[in-house]
Amino acid sequence: MSPPGEGSAAVSTLCQHCGLCCDGNLFDHVPLRDAEVDTMRRLSLTVVTRKDGSAALAQHCDALKGRVCTAYAERPEGCRRYHCALFSALAEGEVSLNEALSVVGEAHARIQAVEAVLPTPRADAPRAVLQRARQEDLPTQARDTWTRAEDWLDRHFRGRQRHR
Ligand code: SF4
Ligand code: SF4
């Protein structure tokens, strides 16, 4: 998540309305440097091991309360460096704040539409709607709803950056 207080007020406002790069819908983990693992554990955040043996911060991130990072001062480098495509477009004046907030609103609306067609979550299911959708064997109509949401995130947020 882009940090409140860094850059212009507009991008801070945008991120505080969004949270998608921390809530598990855009990504399922944030890479960690070895030196960051103890800090994440001290903050009671979930650290997972990736296939290559490296550590990562699981998403949905438990530091996210509402749409705000509560571990802001100690967030890992992967969070500090990350800016989605929409953030960059706003920072560079390619879109207005209102246009960017509208894109965020549509993203949340499409994710909510996916949630409405998913089965009731199991206790061990991911909290992020799109992560759950990726694990379900969805009927065609629900799959179309899920695809609409993923396409929107690809187009406006992930850009060419599908991983953090
Ligand atoms: S996905 Fe982009 S706009 Fe949303 S919180 Fe992250 S950096 Fe900000
Ligand atoms: S530590 Fe903060 S910025 Fe990083 S994923 Fe968690 S909520 Fe987002």
Side-chain angles (χ1 to χ4, degrees), residues 39-94:
T39 304
M40 297 302 106
R41 293 202 168 118
R42 176 171 51 74
L43 293 169
S44 301
L45 304 183
T46 304
V47 175
V48 295
T49 303
R50 294 193 292 179
K51 282 180 189 158
D52 66 1
S54 63
L57 176 63
Q59 307 229 300
H60 175 290
C61 179
D62 288 329
L64 187 68
K65 302 300 179 205
R67 292 176 185 171
V68 173
C69 173
T70 58
Y72 183 71
E74 298 186 272
R75 70 201 190 287
E77 184 68 22
C79 301
R80 293 175 191 273
R81 278 190 290 102
Y82 179 72
H83 294 152
C84 73
L86 183 63
F87 179 108
S88 299
L90 177 61
E92 289 164 21
E94 293 167 9

Side-chain angles (χ1 to χ4, degrees), residues 10 13-15 17-18 86 96-106:
T13 300
L14 175 67
C15 292
H17 283 79
C18 177
L86 183 63
S96 69
L97 177 58
N98 279 346
E99 288 167 336
L101 289 172
S102 167
V103 170
V104 165
E106 179 67 18

